Amino acid sequence: MDHAIAFQDYEASALAAIAAAKSAAEIEEVRIEFLGKKKGRLKDLQAVVGQVSADLRPAVGKLFNEVRDKVTAALEAQQALLRKPKKSLTAIDISLPGQPVLLGKRHPLAQTMEDFKDIIGRFGFIVADGPEIEDEYHNFKALNIPEDHPARDPLENFYLATASYAAGGPVTPRLLRSQTSTVQIRVMEKQQPPIRIVSLGRVYRPDTIDATHSCMFHQMEGLMVGEHVTMAQLKTVLRLFATTYLGQDVTIRFRPSFFPFTEPSVEVDMSWGKDWLEIGGAGMIDPNVLRAVGYDPEKVSGFAFGLGIERFCMRRHQIRDIRRFYENDLRFLSQF
Ligand code: FA5
């Protein structure tokens, strides 16, 4: 046979057989038939090359190699195509249960703070912020707490070893704020009455830890300053706030008390079953504090309160131990 026709015939039938192969087994059969090393159509073609005259053999040999490479490449491409898993609609079983998406939740205290802002916002109080690292002026002095007051004792507070202190430089003592009352001062320094703000956040005290005490806890500070602000208004705001958050069955009790920055001062308790639990301190702002921020106590008056956020949340959800909030136990946290 003329070698050119033999090559054409081999190539055409090999490419057609490759394209027609629809499975791994079929393409293997085609490979054996057209590219098999021992016998098959490639061997026959090689024999054709052997028959041509010696002067034509180099050119025909080259042609042989080209045709063989072309068929090999086509075969490999088809093999790869058949190996790929076919996408099929029947592969998805829509009746199988899906992968559950685990949604996070806000911490119960964060939820309580949102509720607090929402409720107190209805009384016209807007939210102010203050730093957790404070100086002695805002944590004590401006709040009328004298230098020798036991509340300023280093053992009653978390003082920070500041860089200047460590370097032996001038000491500006700083501490983690022990109460949110610091924000009262920061707001009054910047704003003129009328003022109606709350500030919520962490406070720190080296208290002995038990079921109702932690060394880090949260307070909501409230401050209202203006003309003719009265104690009656303070008591009404606190009663309404507590019953809105805790329900009508809670009783709020005011006990005379003392805070250096309020006069008169009260401590506020809530009923919990047969017991009472202290939830905050409050009072009418001491004239000394008003003067410290440049207000005239003859013209304006004000009240302030500081509430323990954990204790409200505890009563609402019947949580008997404050430590549950900080243990990061999902069995506890996922209930809220
Ligand atoms: C104060 O912190 C005052 N700054 C409150 C105040 C504000 C008075 C404005 C007058 C005017 P006291 O130390 O009592 O007060 O704390 C207030 C509330 O924080 C307590 O009633 C209690 O609910 C909560 N609390 C106090 N210590 C802890 C603690 N270690 N762990 C959890 N809650 C606490």
Side-chain angles (χ1 to χ4, degrees):
M1 199 201 307
D2 177 59
H3 70 267
I5 294 172
F7 283 150
Q8 271 170 21
D9 181 41
Y10 169 82
E11 184 181 322
S13 34
L15 293 181
I18 288 167
K22 290 286 169 275
S23 69
E26 278 176 34
I27 195 78
E28 181 59 10
E29 270 175 33
V30 174
R31 187 190 68 76
I32 291 166
E33 184 184 346
F34 287 94
L35 294 167
K37 297 246 162 55
K38 293 193 186 111
K39 55 183 180 136
R41 306 228 354 212
L42 193 67
K43 276 272 163 208
D44 299 344
L45 207 58
Q46 217 167 7
V48 173
V49 179
Q51 284 159 17
V52 297
S53 56
D55 55 332
L56 282 178
R57 204 166 294 147
V60 176
K62 191 164 170 267
L63 196 63
F64 171 84
N65 286 343
E66 279 168 14
V67 170
R68 185 199 54 203
D69 291 350
K70 194 170 172 188
V71 169
T72 305
L75 183 113
E76 282 171 0
Q78 184 71 351
Q79 273 175 334
L81 205 68
L82 290 172
R83 262 199 302 273
K84 254 197 208 158
K86 280 229 178 85
K87 279 199 187 130
S88 149
L89 277 182
T90 54
I92 303 166
D93 181 351
I94 56 165
S95 68
L96 286 174
Q99 296 264 331
V101 179
L102 290 177
L103 284 183
K105 280 185 172 181
R106 305 204 76 191
H107 190 279
L109 290 175
Q111 292 182 30
T112 305
M113 288 194 271
E114 285 308 310
D115 290 344
F116 273 30
K117 287 183 214 167
D118 182 33
I119 296 168
I120 203 74
R122 295 181 222 157
F123 296 89
F125 287 78
I126 57 164
V127 177
D129 257 338
E132 285 179 30
I133 295 177
E134 265 297 3
D135 51 45
E136 289 189 300
Y137 178 77
H138 290 93
N139 203 83
F140 302 122
K141 190 164 186 280
L143 286 165
N144 204 29
I145 304 176
E147 202 126 350
D148 55 359
H149 195 281
R152 292 179 73 153
D153 190 325
L155 294 176
E156 298 294 326
N157 295 285
F158 289 111
Y159 275 88
L160 303 176
T162 56
S164 60
Y165 178 79
V171 181
T172 34
R174 292 191 188 277
L175 70 158
L176 297 177
R177 68 179 177 191
S178 60
Q179 49 186 346
T180 43
S181 299
T182 52
V183 188
Q184 288 180 35
I185 303 301
R186 291 195 174 271
V187 168
M188 289 191 287
E189 278 171 344
K190 282 201 221 101
Q191 271 171 251
Q192 287 302 309
I195 287 174
R196 219 188 286 192
I197 60 101
V198 284
S199 188
L200 300 90
R202 293 192 188 97
V203 300
Y204 305 84
R205 291 180 197 175
D207 284 353
T208 305
I209 296 167
D210 61 21
T212 53
H213 291 84
S214 164
C215 51
M216 184 282 293
F217 59 100
H218 297 73
Q219 286 188 334
M220 177 170 81
E221 193 77 12
L223 172 72
M224 177 161 165
V225 190
E227 288 173 22
H228 313 302
V229 174
T230 67
M231 186 89 181
Q233 290 169 336
L234 165 65
K235 291 173 78 175
T236 304
V237 166
L238 287 179
R239 276 222 165 86
L240 281 174
F241 175 78
T243 48
T244 309
Y245 181 73
L246 293 171
Q248 291 302 325
D249 68 322
V250 73
T251 307
I252 298 299
R253 175 174 86 174
F254 297 92
R255 280 181 289 121
S257 186
F258 173 79
F259 293 101
F261 37 96
T262 47
E263 180 59 34
S265 303
V266 287
E267 244 151 349
V268 191
D269 301 331
M270 66 179 168
S271 59
W272 190 348
K274 284 197 245 65
D275 304 320
W276 293 95
L277 185 61
E278 188 195 307
I279 44 169
M284 300 306 293
I285 300 167
D286 194 288
N288 283 345
V289 175
L290 294 175
R291 272 190 285 271
V293 294
Y295 292 177
D296 182 352
E298 299 296 325
K299 294 204 179 114
V300 290
S301 58
F303 67 68
F305 56 83
L307 306 176
I309 293 176
E310 275 81 350
R311 294 189 184 178
F312 273 84
C313 182
M314 285 168 76
R315 189 189 187 280
R316 173 145 162 186
H317 299 291
Q318 298 297 312
I319 299 162
R320 293 284 171 179
D321 196 322
I322 199 170
R323 285 165 284 204
R324 297 285 97 82
F325 289 125
Y326 318 114
E327 285 166 346
N328 242 355
D329 185 341
L330 283 180
R331 288 170 304 176
F332 169 76
L333 295 174
S334 58
Q335 295 176 54
F336 300 95

